[in-house]
Amino acid sequence: MKKAYFFLLPVSLFISTIISAQSGYINTIAGNGIAGFAGDGQPATNAKIDTMGFTAVDDSGNVYIADAQNNRIRKVYAKTGIMATIAGTGTPGWTGDYGLAVNAEIYYPFGICVDKNYNVYFTDNGNGIVRKIVQATGTIYTIAGTGNGGNTGNGGKADTATFDDPTGITVDAAGNVYVADDIGSCVRKINASDSVINLYAGNNIHGYNGDGGQATAAELNNPLGIAMDKSGNLYIVEWKEFTVRKVDDSGVINEFAGIPGNNNYTTASGPNATTIPLGEPTGVCADKYGNVYIADPGNGIVRQINGTNGYDYVTAGSADIGFSGDGGPAVDAELNYPFTVSVDTNFNIYIGDLLNFRIRKENGGPTAVPEVSANGNFAIYPNPASSSLNIRFSGTYSNGNNTIEIEDITGRTVSTYEKNVKPNSTFNADISGMANGMYFIKISNATSYSVLKFIKE
């Protein structure tokens, strides 16, 4: 039943939109770039990771990796940066239930999530089951699936149900577990109270329809990554449809991001995520403010979408394939098939850089309130800012000379910069010497100009 997902690899004045953003510097936190297995008990950056499934992060910032090809679940401890195996011996199989997870055999673990009590759930894809690691004891047991292929058992106990291809997994605040079934074209829910499993989204028919209606009547096209936000909305990546859909807490499904059937290459930003193509979405997560992050390895980027207004922009990845950029802005870094994305309570973003065999972290820091130009050509952040103001130019911004001016509220020019702007570039303006207060930044070239406001604090 093992599924190696290599087939996913083809390889104006003061008008603005408020969005949420990160401070955005990237570094490797796990993996040395060489495929394999090594490094347990050592700093995670010295470790080898093989083909990974999804990742997860708990409320303490510990990172969990479904190290699929190594048939292990591994953990990077936030306090020490040490890598350790917490489940799996490396031998593919299905043994060890109710014993220590490190002594159990697992087979191609793929989806992974962590509940509020730090219990770990994962889809044991090669076995067609779902398993749980109990944090308090380190023991493991099967919570869903019989190991037989199929899509049966709805309305009964989860351990008597069958799965065609369990992939993504997530858990809500009440402990209910949701499992995506790629081939089965559905998402199912396992109740925490009685372990009964039922259909939650999709009707087991491959396709794309049903928006505006109940999710259980809709067709899904190969659901892969899934995520639950704090408000009870479920996000489903349909990787073969190039979209992300949202099931609200009343069970109604609608398109959330991407354009059905359209995987055109783009790094564009815009106020409506449903008008911007996704190249090949795979992973998804949401932070505590409802902002949603999408891993788009088809474009070599990670996107952030504001959960309130739908503004969509690139938060990591330059769209150039490779490995570079550690220590610098995440938007300037090269990624190589960013397959999975997670976010912690401090808004740090963790990216499973699959073909670089690394986990990379984009530091979040305090959330900001940036301003985005009306034409979407550039954004400024953080806002308010204290020492440095970032100006991020979009992928569609025209090359050429620009004048960047900062003015105070009296119209006096405080700073002027002449900049040869390139698309997908970031300019950092030093504002540390300016007095606190409101300022305006004007960016102009031979054909246009825009003015945005920011606060220096």
Side-chain angles (χ1 to χ4, degrees), residues 397-418:
Y397 201 86
S398 299
N399 283 297
N401 294 322
N402 281 252
T403 300
I404 301 169
E405 298 173 90
I406 298 176
E407 298 177 351
D408 63 20
I409 58 174
T410 70
R412 180 177 64 91
T413 299
V414 176
S415 300
T416 301
Y417 307 90
E418 298 295 332

Side-chain angles (χ1 to χ4, degrees), residues 265-286:
Y265 168 85
T266 183
T267 57
S269 301
N272 186 349
T274 61
T275 65
I276 299 175
L278 294 169
E280 188 178 50
T282 49
V284 63
C285 66

Side-chain angles (χ1 to χ4, degrees), residues 32-72:
N32 64 5
I34 301 171
F37 174 74
D40 275 1
Q42 300 178 28
T45 50
N46 296 337
K48 291 181 180 179
I49 304 168
D50 213 327
T51 305
M52 72 183 84
F54 290 114
T55 59
V57 60
D58 65 27
D59 287 346
S60 296
N62 302 302
V63 179
Y64 302 79
I65 306 165
D67 197 348
Q69 201 69 34
N70 282 321
N71 301 303
R72 290 176 168 93

Side-chain angles (χ1 to χ4, degrees), residues 241-321:
E241 197 64 46
F242 319 116
T243 58
V244 177
R245 292 166 90 181
K246 175 181 175 180
V247 182
D248 66 23
D249 59 1
S250 66
V252 174
I253 192 169
N254 277 294
E255 182 186 354
F256 178 76
I259 302 171
N262 183 339
N263 67 335
N264 290 341
Y265 168 85
T266 183
T267 57
S269 301
N272 186 349
T274 61
T275 65
I276 299 175
L278 294 169
E280 188 178 50
T282 49
V284 63
C285 66
D287 67 28
K288 62 185 178 183
Y289 289 150
N291 302 303
V292 176
Y293 307 80
I294 300 170
D296 185 1
N299 281 319
I301 58 177
V302 175
R303 290 188 168 275
Q304 178 177 336
I305 300 173
N306 184 279
T308 302
N309 59 29
Y311 200 96
D312 182 345
Y313 71 102
V314 176
T315 188
S318 66
D320 293 324
I321 304 303

Side-chain angles (χ1 to χ4, degrees), residues 199-205 209-211 213-220 245 251 253:
L199 200 64
Y200 191 79
N203 60 9
N204 303 125
I205 298 173
N209 67 27
D211 279 356
Q214 287 297 302
T216 51
E219 294 178 359
L220 303 180
R245 292 166 90 181
I253 192 169

Side-chain angles (χ1 to χ4, degrees), residues 317-371:
S318 66
D320 293 324
I321 304 303
F323 175 72
S324 71
D326 274 4
V331 289
D332 295 335
E334 291 180 349
L335 307 174
N336 195 351
Y337 211 77
F339 182 75
T340 174
V341 61
S342 306
V343 63
D344 68 20
T345 55
N346 293 316
F347 309 99
N348 300 302
I349 303 169
Y350 302 83
I351 302 165
D353 199 352
L354 191 149
L355 292 183
N356 281 320
F357 305 101
R358 291 175 168 96
I359 307 294
R360 302 172 79 179
K361 176 182 177 181
E362 178 185 352
N363 67 299
T367 53
V369 186
E371 303 278 345

Side-chain angles (χ1 to χ4, degrees), residues 12-13 373-375 378 441-444 448-452:
S12 70
L13 236 45
S373 63
N375 55 16
F378 66 89
I441 186 164
K442 180 169 75 173
I443 302 179
S444 58
S448 64
Y449 77 94
S450 293
V451 179
L452 297 174

